[in-house]
Amino acid sequence: MATAPSLPLFYNGLEPLSSEVHANYKVRPQDTAPFLVGQHAIPVTVDEFPLVQRFMPIVFSVGPEAIPLALMGLNEGVNVFVDEDGKLNETSFYVPAYVRRYPYMLARLRPEAEELSLCFDPTSPTIGAFDEGEALFEGNQPSQLTQNILQFAESFEQAGARTQNFMKELQEMDLLMDGEVSIQPDGAAQPFVYRGFQMINEEKLVDMRGDQLRKMSQSGMLPLLYAHLFSLSLMRDLFARQVQQGKQPQPQFQPAQ
């Protein structure tokens, strides 16, 4: 099992799925996601920008290895889209693929391994040697459920590779800048100022040469940048949700790195 410090967000451990070890394992449905409680920033892929920007602000983490993040709250430990049990507060909502992938993921079992293996978090309550549920194996062969899980995990990895290329291009063009959003609530003496994230420098984007902008438009990159910029207006919606839910906004947030 992998050690906790090396694990990505949500995962407490990783175990390779095996037809020998997990022959009698089943998956049972769960209508809550307790692992989402208190998670305010979720990684997203560029494939998801058009859908995410309708519901959540999209920002970029700080540091040299920046990644896109969907904000589910403005402050660490706050997620306005789920209740204290991890049940979604609304039905019409796009759930990021990173969330839907859990508790599975593709991982290298050894640093030198070339192939990725389908693994799962053994601490998840949705998978185990249950009497009821959908089987992961039929004999020594993966069930249709397992094949679907593997296909989704592979698609996620491919989207992740496209996202890495997208981020590399952003950094090469020097389009990222330190972000800041100021929200002035009615009756407040001072505005709430949120920092600790990166965003696209719109002035630099507008000033780019025509051939560069044309290339970005043809590649599909330009619409993604504007999906991010348009989504930032939802910061004020998150602020209002936190106030409504009694989760008092704080002056700054620090997205997951």
Side-chain angles (χ1 to χ4, degrees):
M1 185 182 298
T3 56
S6 65
L7 294 169
L9 181 69
F10 301 158
Y11 295 82
N12 298 306
L14 276 180
E15 187 174 327
L17 191 61
S18 165
S19 60
E20 296 178 1
V21 180
H22 310 112
N24 62 337
Y25 270 40
K26 295 179 181 177
V27 175
R28 56 187 179 190
Q30 189 172 16
D31 59 0
T32 61
F35 56 88
L36 256 185
V37 177
Q39 300 292 348
H40 74 297
I42 307 299
V44 290
T45 67
V46 289
D47 295 33
E48 301 176 275
F49 276 27
L51 286 170
V52 172
Q53 61 96 23
R54 295 170 53 196
F55 303 98
M56 294 168 280
I58 301 168
V59 299
F60 302 95
S61 63
V62 296
E65 301 295 327
I67 61 171
L69 297 167
L71 297 183
M72 303 187 84
L74 289 183
N75 296 104
E76 191 169 345
V78 175
N79 186 327
V80 301
F81 292 96
V82 296
D83 62 20
E84 59 186 14
D85 296 319
K87 190 174 183 63
L88 283 174
N89 291 328
E90 52 192 273
T91 54
S92 179
F93 174 71
Y94 177 75
V95 179
Y98 189 96
V99 176
R100 288 180 281 124
R101 179 185 64 160
Y102 183 82
Y104 310 96
M105 72 176 295
L106 290 174
R108 286 182 174 84
L109 299 183
R110 298 177 307 280
E112 69 277 9
E114 292 186 7
E115 293 186 355
L116 298 174
S117 299
L118 182 60
C119 301
F120 68 98
D121 183 348
T123 69
S124 169
T126 63
I127 179 171
F130 308 132
D131 293 332
E132 298 180 352
E134 288 192 72
L136 285 166
F137 294 98
E138 296 171 355
N140 61 352
Q141 296 298 314
S143 66
Q144 186 60 53
L145 172 65
T146 301
Q147 293 178 47
N148 293 342
I149 291 170
L150 177 60
Q151 184 178 18
F152 184 83
E154 289 174 340
S155 297
F156 184 86
E157 290 297 318
Q158 293 163 3
R162 288 189 288 272
T163 304
Q164 286 183 335
N165 292 333
F166 172 86
M167 295 306 302
K168 184 180 178 182
E169 288 189 59
L170 278 189
Q171 289 163 341
E172 288 175 352
M173 291 184 289
D174 195 29
L175 280 176
L176 288 174
M177 70 176 190
D178 291 338
E180 179 176 307
V181 172
S182 178
I183 299 176
Q184 179 71 59
D186 293 338
Q190 298 291 332
F192 285 77
V193 180
Y194 292 91
R195 303 186 183 93
F197 63 96
Q198 293 188 91
M199 59 186 287
I200 295 300
N201 187 327
E202 195 168 2
E203 288 185 7
K204 277 191 178 182
L205 180 61
V206 171
D207 289 340
M208 292 185 75
R209 299 194 315 265
D211 60 324
Q212 291 176 310
L213 289 171
R214 185 166 57 252
K215 181 180 178 182
M216 291 167 63
S217 178
Q218 291 172 343
S219 70
M221 186 178 190
L222 194 58
L224 297 176
L225 300 185
Y226 278 104
H228 147 71
L229 289 169
F230 293 152
S231 77
L232 296 178
S233 65
L234 294 175
M235 297 277 251
R236 286 166 176 76
D237 289 356
L238 288 189
F239 185 92
R241 281 173 178 254
Q242 286 194 205
V243 172
Q244 184 182 23
Q245 295 178 16
K247 300 170 180 176
Q248 185 60 35
Q250 300 299 316
Q252 294 189 26
F253 80 91
Q254 295 291 333
Q257 307 224 357

